C-alpha cells in the first residue's frame, strides 16, 4: 500500500494570504496520493514510520514541491512540511539542490508528529539551515506535541496555529482568548502567525 501511495504521490498547493490586505504571501505544498487507503500526509507518514521508510516520502515531497513553483515563476514563499527526523539527515541540502537553490523563499515547516527528538542536534541543524537562507515554521501550534516547549526549542520565524483553535473562533470566547495570547506572543517575539482552518 505504501508503495502504491508513493508511486501516485502528487502535490496540492494551498495559498497563504495576508489578513490585512488579502495579498499572496506564499503557498503550502500538501502531500496527496491516489491510494484510497493513504490519501494524505498523515496516513502516508504513519505507514512510513511503521515500516521504517520515513525518508522516502519526505524526499519525494521536497523534490515535487519545488519544481512547479520554479517552472511557473510564481511569487511568494513556499512552505514545505518536514518530519523532525528529516532535519537530521546529514546531506539534507546536498540531497535537495533545487530546494536549496531557492532557500531564501523556502519555509521548512516542522510537522511535529512526535515529540522533538535529539533536541540539541535539531537546534544545531536549524542553525545550519538558517545560515543557508531557510526559514523555520512550527506547524499546528496547540495540537499534539506542538506546545510551548517546541515553540521555545525551535524559535521559529513563523507559527501556524492549529485549525482546531481557529475554527468556530467567532462564536467561542475561549478560543478567542487563546489565539489572541498566542498571536501576541508570536508578534512580540518577531514571529509571523498563520491561522489554519479559516472558513468564515
Amino acid at each position: 500500500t505504501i508503495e502504491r501511495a508513493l508511486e501516485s504521490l502528487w502535490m496540492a498547493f494551498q495559498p497563504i494570504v495576508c489578513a490585512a490586505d488579502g495579498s499572496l504571501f506564499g503557498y503550502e505544498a500538501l502531500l496527496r496520493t491516489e491510494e484510497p487507503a493513504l490519501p494524505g500526509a498523515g496516513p502516508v507518514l504513519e505507514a512510513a514510520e511503521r515500516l521504517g521508510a520515513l525518508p522516502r516520502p519526505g524526499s519525494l515531497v521536497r523534490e515535487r514541491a519545488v519544481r512547479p513553483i520554479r517552472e511557473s515563476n510564481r511569487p511568494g514563499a513556499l512552505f514545505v512540511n518536514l518530519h523532525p527526523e528529516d532535519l537530521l539527515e546529514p546531506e539534507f541540502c546536498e540531497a535537495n539542490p533545487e530546494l536549496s537553490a531557492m532557500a531564501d523563499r523556502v519555509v521548512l515547516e516542522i510537522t511535529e508528529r512526535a515529540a522533538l527528538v535529539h533536541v540539541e542536534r535539531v537546534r544545531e541543524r536549524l542553525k545550519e539551515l538558517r545560515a543557508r537562507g531557510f526559514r523555520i515554521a512550527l506547524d499546528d501550534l496547540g495540537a499534539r506535541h506542538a506546545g510551548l516547549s517546541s515553540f521555545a526549542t525551535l524559535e521559529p520565524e513563523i507559527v501556524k496555529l492549529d485549525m482546531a483553535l481557529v475554527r468556530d473562533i467567532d462564536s467561542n470566547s475561549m478560543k478567542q482568548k487563546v489565539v489572541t495570547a498566542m498571536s501576541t506572543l508570536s508578534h512580540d517575539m518577531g514571529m509571523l502567525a498563520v491561522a489554519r482552518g479559516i472558513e468564515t
Side-chain angles (χ1 to χ4, degrees):
T1 303
I2 185 68
E3 290 299 326
R4 291 196 300 271
L6 294 179
E7 287 173 6
S8 66
L9 185 149
W10 58 280
M11 305 304 300
F13 292 90
Q14 174 70 45
I16 300 172
V17 300
C18 295
D21 59 11
S23 61
L24 179 71
F25 182 78
Y27 297 90
E28 179 181 1
L30 301 170
L31 182 161
R32 297 289 183 264
T33 79
E34 301 298 333
E35 171 54 46
L38 302 173
V44 169
L45 291 176
E46 287 169 12
E49 284 173 334
R50 286 196 305 270
L51 298 170
L54 196 56
R56 285 194 62 206
S59 178
L60 286 171
V61 164
R62 291 189 291 276
E63 174 189 330
R64 296 183 185 179
V66 171
R67 204 160 292 160
I69 297 296
R70 293 190 71 180
E71 291 177 353
S72 65
N73 292 317
R74 290 186 180 272
L78 173 63
F79 285 64
V80 180
N81 288 279
L82 297 181
H83 189 284
E85 291 184 20
D86 291 337
L87 290 171
L88 302 178
E89 292 180 19
E91 305 298 326
F92 180 89
C93 291
E94 290 73 13
N96 300 276
E98 289 189 322
L99 192 76
S100 297
M102 54 182 292
D104 61 335
R105 293 180 55 192
V106 174
V107 179
L108 299 175
E109 189 171 323
I110 310 294
T111 303
E112 202 190 355
R113 301 177 54 74
L116 284 169
V117 293
H118 313 300
V119 170
E120 289 305 321
R121 290 181 61 202
V122 168
R123 283 187 178 135
E124 292 171 9
R125 196 71 180 122
L126 293 178
K127 184 177 180 180
E128 294 169 6
L129 292 169
R130 284 184 169 112
R132 290 177 177 258
F134 292 104
R135 284 176 288 174
I136 306 300
L138 174 61
D139 191 20
D140 293 342
L141 182 63
R144 296 189 297 274
H145 297 275
L148 293 179
S149 60
S150 300
F151 183 89
T153 297
L154 296 175
E155 298 181 14
E157 284 80 15
I158 299 171
V159 175
K160 299 188 78 175
L161 305 178
D162 184 60
M163 68 175 63
L165 291 174
V166 175
R167 282 188 173 156
D168 304 318
I169 193 171
D170 55 313
S171 60
N172 187 313
S173 61
M174 178 60 72
K175 288 184 178 183
Q176 292 169 19
K177 291 173 183 176
V178 171
V179 169
T180 296
M182 288 181 169
S183 298
T184 300
L185 176 61
S186 299
H187 293 151
D188 286 349
M189 298 183 71
M191 303 171 183
L192 293 175
V194 176
R196 299 188 62 193
I198 295 176
E199 302 291 347
T200 62

